[in-house]
């Protein structure tokens, strides 16, 4: 409930009387599912926060306070009339208009989704106790595709999931009771998400059958839930489906029988789900099947699927996470960082219009710190989606606090220099950089059936923030944190400031006691939790740091290394090429240097490692202290949950500190300048 009494009275008057202008093209009683949802959310929010049950007026009143919702003539009205990622879809405006002696609040939008997003905008503003003037806006989502990828499996497990079991599946089937899925759809729509793929990109036997006749009715039930919230449903597919479930003896994308099978499959899917979004595909990656087996390339594979979906407006989202995962550690010329660019850049221009490449934000794999993938800007004639990982696989697994929005902002703000001006990743991703037909953002979800959705209650800020940032990449990480904190914990100044500060400092803290200077992968193999400096050092995954008694780091220069730096545009390639100009935080990603090498900060590499690990462990302890100061000011259940996780983090940060410092002390033999205890 809104605590500020004056504000509550003002909003209660407006929300008490709502006039919903009949949407053009639809008769009374024929509101789309999305518009119904908008009205339902409006009622729910008004009841909860303002204690009013809105009266829906039949005609527009001449005067008096009220909320007017106008569906401007624009894109289609029904749920299948326009795709959520069409240009302009979702835009809305809010303004205050004079009305008799007072004012009324007006929300207008071109589409039903716009109305829904406008309603959420109003409710968010009220929850944050914003003044009515602060709610006036002309809003339009910057990215058209704003997608969530579930890595959920039919058996109910979640690959890299840290928040319980799947809300979608149990024992091989889609759940009967979709109540939790509906709550999730609501959560996602409230921050502007408009697409979701509901199964893991690693598609196993059971999920392969989702696109068979027997699987589709259940998928359609889930699609219906998301439809109410304006979210299009996608499936991850198995490239070898024609073999696995089609009774064919090949999955060759150029084989007529295979092509025909996919055409029939698309027809079947759209019979069940007329607004089906399309396919997400992980092919020829980490042992998943793909076109390579038939001597074909990614364009052949993607285009075949695209052709099948094209008549229905469906999309093929093809992942670029393709690299040799069977590398020999003795082979010094193969560099995993190069792989996506080397595979896909030569195919630029060969993909059909409804194909999008989904590119991970960095060239390796969601490490704590990586440079930006050089593919952004390199492909000029190919639709692209950037992929982030909300689930904290390498960033503390929702046991450690790690607010990721600042990391994503750095990526989106990165200047690629692909065009003389405005070549930032965010411009490429939103499509304006190269005039892409479709583009946007996708991210791996961090949710599960945990009561608080995300395991760590503060990890919710990453899901919330993902949606907000994707809607508007120019929002600051701090603004987003403040929004989330305000809506979650209320507007007590001390609570709001403390939690915001905790969030804002958390990624640098996590980085400081885990991964120094861009060196990634010093984690326990497979689980990816906790320190194991040499865990991956002699493995096939291509993830090395090359530490020896003299130095550490991967030489990716053109001059003496793998040549990876050449994948960037100038001046980035020159900046990364020289250890003198390479940013400290990425030094060991690009260079192999002696422990005594002096950073731009003035410290030696070895001293930097010691200092950051001592300081990082202290900072983790300090996070815990900050939270303790809020005891009694946040509800006891959440207080206890967060306190428990922060205690574990502080303890585990000490462990990280000791393992890393000891390892490098033993390797280098260089003592800590400050004589602190290293075991
Ligand atoms: O980050 C790695 C994960 C795998 C994942 C893969 C991918 C879904 O360790 O679990 O598989 O990336 O993105 O395909």
């Amino acid at each position: 409930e809104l605590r500020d009494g004056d504000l509550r009275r003002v909003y209660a008057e407006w929300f008490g009387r709502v006039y919903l202008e009949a949407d053009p093209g639809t008769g009374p009683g024929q509101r789309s599912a999305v518009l119904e949802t908008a009205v339902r959310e409006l009622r729910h929010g008004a009841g909860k926060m303002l204690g009013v049950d809105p009266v829906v007026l039949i005609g527009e009143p001449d005067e008096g306070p009220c909320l007017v919702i106008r569906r401007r003539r624009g894109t289609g009205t029904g749920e299948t009339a326009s795709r959520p990622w069409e240009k302009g879809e979702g835009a809305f405006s809010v303004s205050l208009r004079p009305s008799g002696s007072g004012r009324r609040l007006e929300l207008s939008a071109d589409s039903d989704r716009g109305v829904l997003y406008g309603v959420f905008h109003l409710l968010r503003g009220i929850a944050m106790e914003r003044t009515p003037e602060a709610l006036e806006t002309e809003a339009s989502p910057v990215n058209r595709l704003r997608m969530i990828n579930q890595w959920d499996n039919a058996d109910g497990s979640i690959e890299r999931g840290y928040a319980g079991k799947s809300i979608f599946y149990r024992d091989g089937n889609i759940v009967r009771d979709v109540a939790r899925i509906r709550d999730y759809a609501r959560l996602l729509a409230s921050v502007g998400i408009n697409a979701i793929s509901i199964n893991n990109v690693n598609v196993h036997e059971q999920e392969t059958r989702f696109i068979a006749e027997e699987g589709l009715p259940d998928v359609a039930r889930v699609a219906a839930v998301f439809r109410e919230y304006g979210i299009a449903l996608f499936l991850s597919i198995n490239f070898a489906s024609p073999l696995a479930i089609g009774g064919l003896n090949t999955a060759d994308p150029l084989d007529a029988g295979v092509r025909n099978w996919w055409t029939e499959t698309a027809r079947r899917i759209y019979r069940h789900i007329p607004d089906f979004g399309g396919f997400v595909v992980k092919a020829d990656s980490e042992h998943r099947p793909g076109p390579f087996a038939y001597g074909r390339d990614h364009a052949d594979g993607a285009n075949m699927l695209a052709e099948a979906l094209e008549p229905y407006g469906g999309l093929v989202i093809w992942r670029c996470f393709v690299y040799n995962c069977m590398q020999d550690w003795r082979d010094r010329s193969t560099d995993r960082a190069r792989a996506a660019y080397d595979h896909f850049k030569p195919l630029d221009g060969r993909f059909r219009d409804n194909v999008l490449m989904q590119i991970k934000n960095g060239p390796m794999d969601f490490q704590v710190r990586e440079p930006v993938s050089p593919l952004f800007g390199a492909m000029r004639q190919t639709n692209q989606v950037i992929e982030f990982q909300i689930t904290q696989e390498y960033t503390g697994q929702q046991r450690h606090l790690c607010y990721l929005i600042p990391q994503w902002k750095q990526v989106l703000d990165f200047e690629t220099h692909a065009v003389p001006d405005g070549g930032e990743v965010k411009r490429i991703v939103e499509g304006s950089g190269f005039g892409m037909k479709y583009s946007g953002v996708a991210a791996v979800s961090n949710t599960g059936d945990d009561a608080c959705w995300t395991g760590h209650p503060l990890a919710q800020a990453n899901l919330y923030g993902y949606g907000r940032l994707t809607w508007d990449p120019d929002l600051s990480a701090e603004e987003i944190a403040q929004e989330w904190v305000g809506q979650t914990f209320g507007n007590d100044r001390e609570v709001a400031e403390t939690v915001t500060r905790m969030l804002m400092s958390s990624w640098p803290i996590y980085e400081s006691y885990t991964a120094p200077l861009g060196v990634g992968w010093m984690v326990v193999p497979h689980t990816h939790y906790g320190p194991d400096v040499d865990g991956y050092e002699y493995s096939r995954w291509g993830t090395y740091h090359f530490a020896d008694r003299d130095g550490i780091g991967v030489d990716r220069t053109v001059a003496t290394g793998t040549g990876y730096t050449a994948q960037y545009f100038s001046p980035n390639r020159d900046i990364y090429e020289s250890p003198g100009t390479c940013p400290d935080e990425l030094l060991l990603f690009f260079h192999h240097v002696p422990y005594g090498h002096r950073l731009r900060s003035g410290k030696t590499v070895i001293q930097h490692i010691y200092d950051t690990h001592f300081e990082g462990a202290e900072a983790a302890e300090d996070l815990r202290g900050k939270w303790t100061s809020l005891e009694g000011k946040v509800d006891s259940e959440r207080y206890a949950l967060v306190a428990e996780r922060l205690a574990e983090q502080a303890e585990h940060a000490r462990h990280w500190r000791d393992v890393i410092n000891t390892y490098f002390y033993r390797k280098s033999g260089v003592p800590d300048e400050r004589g602190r205890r290293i075991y």
Side-chain angles (χ1 to χ4, degrees), residues 120-121 123-125 127-128 130 148 184 186-193 390 403 405 408 446-447 454 457-472 475-488 503:
F120 281 126
H121 165 82
L123 297 176
R124 181 160 55 237
M128 290 188 293
R130 295 262 158 96
I148 285 284
Y184 189 43
R186 182 171 178 233
L187 211 69
L188 296 180
S190 76
V191 290
I193 300 299
I390 314 176
Y403 178 56
I405 312 303
W408 302 338
N446 64 347
T447 57
T454 52
L458 301 186
Q460 286 173 7
N462 286 328
L463 181 63
Y464 176 85
Y466 168 70
R468 297 289 292 140
L469 183 68
T470 308
W471 178 281
D472 180 5
L475 287 171
S476 76
E478 186 155 15
E479 277 173 274
I480 293 173
Q482 282 161 348
E483 284 187 7
W484 180 78
V485 171
Q487 289 168 84
T488 306
L503 289 173

Side-chain angles (χ1 to χ4, degrees), residues 398-440:
Q398 283 139 253
R399 314 202 69 79
H400 294 234
L401 181 62
C402 193
Y403 178 56
L404 291 164
I405 312 303
Q407 187 198 50
W408 302 338
K409 278 222 50 114
Q410 276 188 7
V411 173
L412 291 171
D413 288 345
F414 181 76
E415 176 55 74
T416 64
H417 295 287
V419 283
D421 99 327
E424 294 145 309
V425 170
K426 63 185 168 197
R427 298 283 158 254
I428 292 165
V429 163
E430 49 95 340
S432 69
F434 297 115
M436 285 172 207
K437 177 146 192 226
Y438 302 112
S439 62

Side-chain angles (χ1 to χ4, degrees), residues 521-525 531-539 543-548 659 663-664 667:
W521 299 106
M522 300 192 301
V523 292
V524 177
D532 183 348
V533 183
D534 282 339
Y536 275 114
E537 196 54 19
Y538 306 98
S539 84
T543 48
Y544 314 121
H545 53 65
F546 299 118
D548 59 20
V659 171
Y663 178 96
F664 287 104
K667 275 264 143 120

Side-chain angles (χ1 to χ4, degrees), residues 151 159-160 162 200-202 282 285-286 288 319 321 323 336 360 364-367 387 389 393-394 444 521 526-528 536 541:
W151 282 0
E159 181 148 352
R160 311 303 176 187
Y162 312 107
N200 189 356
V201 289
N202 292 326
K282 173 175 178 177
S285 161
E286 301 186 330
R288 307 317 299 168
R319 295 177 84 233
F321 185 58
Y323 66 98
R336 174 165 162 182
K360 287 192 181 184
M364 295 297 275
D365 189 10
F366 301 135
Q367 299 302 292
E387 177 176 338
Q389 196 185 42
E393 178 177 359
Y394 295 97
V444 185
W521 299 106
H526 311 303
T527 67
H528 300 166
Y536 275 114
W541 297 92

